[in-house]
């Protein structure tokens, strides 16, 4: 009896070990991935750090974020700039050197995301870029892009900085995103590429609680479609940590928000 039972025990143990071999992941398609991760971070805030690379240019940002809200400081255009994104509205803290242009010297202004002619000079120069920069660090936005336009191409388990994670690779169909394009791209700019840009790669790492710990958007195809040499690297890397952080992310007080006259 003992001799015949032993192989069966070995088979059972092998099956159990096989289920924990490091390859099992929670999701098998992009929509389920986005829905599951979004549910895992609902109501939570985290710290983030973002590194944007485009050829020889590099920009870094850091702050705290939750879905549809963030507070961050970035080295945008070579100077520290404080931003807040609250319910799709972006607020920017005006540098001391430019505050004389704001009536009453108020420190904050709303940024017009389209930066159209007729808007204030601050929004004309920076509006679209700041709006996209703020949104790109919103963890919910990347997941929404994966939900609406993503195709899962590969998945598995791996270690990220010594932590076990689920690693997902996706292709994001730019046409399916409509006007909500990543990395400061406009629908007009996408149209000018004459169909040369179809999909861009995205990678998402989740921790054991299914919370994003890293999101990478590869923008090299954008440069290639624009005629930039293939060797040029362009990507956005956002790291998230300390999910559950207590973060009171609020719009600036109304009395501190000014308006730069339109130019």
């Amino acid at each position: 009896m003992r001799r015949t039972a032993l192989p069966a025990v070995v088979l059972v143990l092998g099956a159990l070990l096989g289920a924990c071999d490091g390859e099992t992941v929670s999701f098998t398609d992009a929509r389920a991935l986005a829905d599951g991760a979004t549910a895992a971070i609902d109501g939570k805030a985290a710290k983030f750090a973002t590194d944007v690379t485009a050829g020889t240019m590099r920009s870094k940002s850091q702050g705290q974020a939750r879905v549809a809200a963030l507070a961050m400081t970035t080295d945008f255009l070579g100077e520290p700039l404080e931003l807040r994104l609250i319910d799709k509205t972006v607020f920017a803290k005006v540098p001391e050197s430019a505050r004389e242009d704001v009536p009453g010297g108020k420190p904050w202004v709303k940024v017009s995301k389209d930066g159209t002619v007729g808007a204030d000079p601050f929004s004309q120069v920076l509006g679209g870029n700041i709006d996209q920069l703020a949104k790109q660090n919103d963890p919910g936005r990347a997941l929404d892009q994966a939900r609406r336009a993503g195709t899962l191409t590969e998945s598995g388990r791996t270690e990220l900085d010594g932590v076990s994670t689920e690693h997902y690779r996706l292709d994001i169909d730019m046409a399916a995103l409509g006007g909500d394009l990543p990395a400061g791209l406009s629908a007009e700019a996408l149209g000018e590429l004459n169909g040369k840009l179809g999909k861009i790669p995205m990678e998402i790492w989740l921790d054991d609680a299914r919370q994003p710990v890293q999101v990478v958007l590869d923008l090299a195809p954008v440069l290639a479609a624009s005629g930039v040499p293939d060797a040029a690297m362009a990507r956005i890397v956002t790291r998230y940590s300390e999910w559950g952080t207590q973060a009171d992310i609020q719009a600036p007080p109304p009395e501190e928000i000014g308006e730069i006259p339109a130019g």
Side-chain angles (χ1 to χ4, degrees):
M1 173 69 70
R2 185 174 302 171
R3 293 179 60 187
T4 57
L6 182 58
V9 171
V10 171
L11 287 174
V12 171
L13 289 175
L16 291 173
L17 291 173
C20 303
D21 63 2
E23 298 302 321
T24 303
V25 295
S26 300
F27 308 108
T28 57
D29 64 78
R31 178 176 292 276
L33 164 63
D35 289 345
T38 299
I41 63 176
D42 184 36
K44 297 179 182 178
K47 294 181 179 179
F48 73 87
T50 298
D51 194 343
V52 180
T53 303
T56 59
M57 298 180 62
R58 191 172 184 182
S59 176
K60 294 186 176 182
S61 308
Q62 59 281 320
Q64 292 182 318
R66 66 173 185 266
V67 176
L70 64 83
M72 63 182 285
T73 301
T74 178
D75 58 354
F76 191 68
L77 298 181
E79 293 188 9
L81 180 65
E82 186 176 348
L83 302 172
R84 294 182 191 176
L85 169 66
I86 311 292
D87 295 330
K88 299 182 180 181
T89 300
V90 178
F91 300 89
K93 195 166 189 178
V94 181
E96 292 279 358
S97 59
R99 208 164 287 176
E100 61 184 16
D101 296 327
V102 184
K106 295 184 178 182
W108 291 89
V109 294
K110 287 183 181 180
V111 178
S112 173
K113 63 181 180 180
D114 54 13
T116 56
V117 174
D120 64 84
F122 193 78
S123 294
Q124 285 186 36
V125 176
L126 306 178
N129 291 321
I130 286 180
D131 181 65
Q132 287 287 342
L133 181 64
K135 286 181 177 178
Q136 195 59 54
N137 294 291
D138 176 0
R141 187 176 187 231
L143 294 172
D144 186 56
Q145 290 172 341
R147 177 186 296 106
R148 292 188 291 117
T151 300
L152 187 62
T153 60
E154 186 179 345
S155 62
R157 295 198 65 91
T158 187
E159 285 196 0
L160 183 65
D161 293 337
V163 177
S164 177
T165 63
E166 298 180 14
H167 181 201
Y168 297 89
R169 297 180 187 271
L170 308 98
D171 283 337
I172 305 298
D173 184 350
M174 299 295 283
L177 289 177
D180 186 23
L181 301 174
L185 292 171
S186 65
E188 292 77 11
L190 183 61
E192 291 174 0
L193 295 177
N194 296 319
K196 296 179 182 178
L197 182 63
K199 298 179 180 180
I200 58 176
M202 176 186 285
E203 297 180 69
I204 299 175
W205 286 256
L206 303 181
D207 62 17
D208 288 340
R210 300 178 178 177
Q211 301 165 147
V213 291
Q214 181 168 272
V215 177
V216 176
L217 189 64
D218 185 356
L219 301 177
V222 179
L223 296 187
S226 303
V228 178
D230 293 342
M233 183 178 72
R235 64 178 190 164
I236 301 174
V237 180
T238 305
R239 301 290 300 269
Y240 296 98
S241 62
E242 300 183 35
W243 281 106
T245 295
Q246 296 298 315
D248 184 20
I249 305 173
Q250 302 289 340
E255 64 272 14
E256 294 186 9
I257 301 174
E259 183 175 345
I260 302 176

